[in-house]
């Protein structure tokens, strides 16, 4: 029995997605609820499970196609042992002699798709067609795409090397085809994912709409590093999570945002919306781009609660399991470019928020303390803000408040 696979509900106000990847190919055995496709929405990637156990049937849509909620994207044959379904015969309107002179068909038949050797690497439909049309073995080609995947150019280069006149045995033993005389210049065009398109639109919109300005300061991390080293083992044993720097900066941000409410506010039309709570969006790097899950009610959370929330979101970002609700809202953002080695940057606000705190790498630098030059672990911090709602005095003083709280963490305990 053939079962249709439909696009599931994607989240509130989300009605469309893009097919990012097929996780199962026609003829593959699938278990019930096993992911068979990955869909990309504006914010997250969602896996589509198989409704039944059986054999993967036809891909009705291709990678890169846009699909709406409820649309049929594939079929699954219920039951079976995993053998490929028998394809329906294709009509042959032209004689065989004429076919030999024609260009290869744009799409390979289902039976051709299933004739690829076992153990062949995961390939997109375009690459699979190129493999079939070129008549090459994909297992012998080294992929240059993301995560070592094959690209269409890899297949075409292998086909060109195969037809270059070398004996088959020599080609098989050669580690790679000889480079073309004068060097080879490759180009690869890859369609932007829906997530990347959304990131681009939002960031450009922030630049076009907000009056962006950035103020900088530097922070002596000595006190926080000493506190972390002193209590990290006890903290991890009691709470089951590592004590990081993000909880200190989150708490310091709460102190600044409560003192300067406009930094935690947003513009809505001709009104300013002030929040009596602090929901911090934490910028996290995911495989498909930057995502910003929201830690709610940070002003009410303990250090352990903040660290647990951030750790959980970090794991979900890597696995691609963040939900729309987990990235909705947020009144302020913290972006830590220091984990990638960034020394200084001007972060862009996350609309409709009005400010973002940028953290950077810690490095030993000479500074003056009590009239003497000493070495201290220093970090540059940056606050980008919307000048339409936040005055320079408020922004500078808010960043200075964060600096003072980090350099003297006791302030976090006595709310000073």
């Amino acid at each position: 029995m053939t079962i249709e696979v439909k696009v599931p509900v994607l989240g509130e106000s989300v009605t469309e997605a893009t097919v990012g990847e097929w996780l199962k190919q026609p003829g593959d055995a699938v278990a019930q609820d096993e992911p068979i496709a990955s869909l990309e929405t504006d914010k997250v990637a969602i896996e589509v499970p198989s409704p039944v156990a059986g054999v993967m049937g036809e891909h009705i849509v291709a990678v890169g196609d846009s699909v709406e909620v409820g649309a049929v994207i594939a079929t699954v044959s219920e039951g079976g042992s995993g053998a490929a379904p028998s394809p329906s015969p294709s009509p042959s309107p032209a004689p065989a002699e004429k076919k030999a002179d024609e260009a290869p068909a744009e799409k390979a038949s289902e039976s051709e798709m299933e004739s690829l050797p076992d153990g062949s690497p995961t390939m997109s439909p375009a690459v699979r067609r190129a493999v079939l049309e070129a008549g090459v073995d994909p297992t012998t080609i080294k992929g240059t795409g993301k995560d070592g995947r094959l690209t269409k150019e890899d297949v075409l280069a292998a086909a060109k090397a195969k037809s270059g006149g070398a004996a088959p045995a020599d080609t098989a033993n050669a580690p790679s085809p000889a480079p073309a005389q004068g060097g080879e210049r490759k180009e690869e065009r890859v369609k932007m994912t829906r997530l990347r398109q959304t990131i681009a639109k939002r960031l450009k919109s922030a630049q076009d709409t907000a009056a962006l300005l950035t103020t900088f300061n530097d922070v002596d991390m000595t006190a926080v590093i000493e506190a972390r080293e002193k209590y990290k083992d006890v903290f991890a044993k009691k709470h089951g999570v590592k004590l990081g720097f993000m909880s200190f900066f989150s708490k310091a941000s709460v102190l600044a945002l409560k003192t300067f409410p406009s930094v935690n506010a947003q513009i809505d039309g001709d009104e300013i919306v002030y929040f009596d709570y602090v929901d911090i969006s934490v910028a996290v790097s995911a495989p498909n781009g930057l995502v910003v899950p929201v830690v709610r009610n940070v002003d009410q959370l303990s250090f352990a609660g903040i660290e647990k929330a951030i750790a959980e979101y970090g794991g979900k970002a890597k696995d691609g399991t963040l939900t729309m609700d987990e990235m909705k809202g947020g009144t302020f953002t913290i972006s830590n470019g220091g984990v990638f080695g960034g020394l200084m940057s001007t972060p862009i606000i996350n609309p409709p928020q009005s400010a973002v705190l940028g953290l950077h790498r810690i490095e030993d630098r000479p500074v003056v303390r009590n009239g003497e030059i000493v070495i201290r672990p220093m970090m540059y911090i940056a606050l980008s803000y919307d000048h339409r709602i936040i005055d320079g005095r408020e922004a500078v003083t808010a960043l200075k408040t964060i600096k003072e709280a980090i350099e003297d963490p006791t302030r976090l305990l006595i709310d000073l």
Side-chain angles (χ1 to χ4, degrees):
M1 181 178 179
T2 300
I3 305 298
E4 294 181 337
V5 181
K6 299 182 179 181
V7 177
V9 176
L10 302 172
E12 184 180 351
S13 75
V14 180
T15 60
E16 190 179 61
T18 300
V19 180
E21 181 182 10
W22 283 107
L23 306 177
K24 290 291 183 177
Q25 300 300 325
D28 291 349
V30 297
Q32 186 172 1
D33 295 328
E34 182 180 7
I36 61 174
S38 176
L39 302 181
E40 296 175 352
T41 68
D42 291 345
K43 294 186 177 181
V44 295
I46 297 175
E47 291 182 340
V48 180
S50 173
V52 295
V55 177
M56 188 67 198
E58 178 187 4
H59 292 169
I60 297 177
V61 294
V63 171
D65 287 353
S66 295
V67 292
E68 295 183 351
V69 173
V72 178
I73 60 173
T75 60
V76 175
S77 297
E78 189 174 9
S81 59
S86 300
S88 55
S90 302
S92 303
E97 293 78 12
K98 185 176 181 180
K99 278 188 177 181
D101 296 331
E102 291 178 348
E106 184 173 342
K107 284 191 176 181
S109 67
E110 291 295 326
S111 57
E112 286 176 315
M113 287 291 191
E114 293 153 10
S115 67
L116 292 176
D118 293 336
S120 59
T122 302
M123 297 174 288
S124 68
V127 175
R128 291 176 69 87
R129 287 196 295 271
V131 167
L132 293 169
E133 292 167 359
V136 295
D137 183 357
T139 60
T140 63
I141 306 173
K142 184 178 180 181
T144 61
K146 184 179 179 181
D147 299 327
R149 295 190 179 186
L150 292 182
T151 66
K152 188 176 181 180
E153 287 71 21
D154 295 333
V155 176
L156 295 179
K160 183 178 180 181
K162 181 180 178 182
S163 60
D170 295 338
T171 303
N173 293 329
S176 60
Q181 189 174 2
E184 188 174 357
R185 292 156 55 88
K186 291 185 177 181
E187 291 184 4
E188 181 181 2
R189 290 182 178 268
V190 180
K191 185 177 180 180
M192 292 174 67
T193 64
R194 183 176 290 270
L195 175 60
R196 177 55 60 186
Q197 292 179 47
T198 301
I199 292 173
K201 291 177 182 177
R202 286 175 63 84
L203 294 181
K204 185 57 181 172
S205 174
Q207 288 184 319
D208 293 341
T209 304
L212 290 179
L213 194 63
T214 304
T215 182
F216 298 92
N217 214 319
D218 60 355
V219 178
D220 186 342
M221 297 291 292
T222 301
V224 167
I225 291 175
E226 290 178 351
R228 183 169 177 263
E229 286 297 317
K230 183 176 181 180
Y231 297 110
K232 66 179 183 179
D233 293 335
V234 178
F235 187 90
K237 183 177 180 180
K238 180 176 181 178
H239 300 292
V241 66
K242 293 181 179 179
L243 177 60
F245 295 128
M246 284 297 290
S247 53
F248 285 94
F249 278 101
S250 297
K251 281 295 187 181
S253 296
V254 169
L255 193 61
L257 299 178
K258 291 291 187 179
T259 306
F260 303 97
S262 62
V263 184
N264 194 48
Q266 298 176 7
I267 293 179
D268 185 10
D270 59 355
E271 297 179 333
I272 298 177
V273 182
Y274 294 95
F275 303 97
D276 66 351
Y277 54 86
V278 178
D279 289 350
I280 295 183
S281 302
V282 181
V284 177
S285 180
N288 292 329
L290 192 72
V291 292
V292 279
V294 181
V295 181
R296 318 265 178 200
N297 299 314
V298 178
D299 49 323
Q300 300 177 24
L301 291 178
S302 64
F303 277 68
I306 295 171
E307 293 292 354
K308 287 179 181 178
I310 293 174
E312 181 181 356
Y313 283 147
K316 287 187 175 183
K318 291 179 180 179
D319 297 338
T321 56
L322 282 170
T323 65
M324 303 291 286
D325 288 339
E326 289 170 331
M327 292 188 288
K328 186 187 303 181
T331 62
F332 184 74
T333 293
I334 298 179
S335 177
N336 186 6
V339 296
F340 304 110
L343 178 63
M344 185 179 290
S345 67
T346 55
I348 301 178
I349 63 173
N350 177 25
Q353 297 173 19
S354 299
V356 53
L357 174 67
L359 309 181
H360 303 92
R361 80 168 184 254
I362 302 170
E363 64 175 10
D364 289 339
R365 292 203 300 270
V367 295
V368 178
R369 294 289 184 268
N370 299 320
E372 297 182 353
I373 298 177
V374 295
I375 303 298
R376 291 287 187 268
M378 303 297 293
M379 175 196 287
Y380 288 117
I381 57 176
L383 184 71
S384 290
Y385 59 97
D386 188 347
H387 214 338
R388 298 177 302 167
I389 181 176
I390 304 171
D391 294 332
R393 180 187 63 84
E394 294 174 307
V396 171
T397 312
L399 190 62
K400 184 172 177 285
T401 300
I402 295 174
K403 166 187 169 70
E404 292 172 344
I406 294 297
E407 292 182 340
D408 183 8
T410 305
R411 290 173 174 266
L412 300 177
L413 301 177
I414 61 177
D415 193 18
L416 182 62

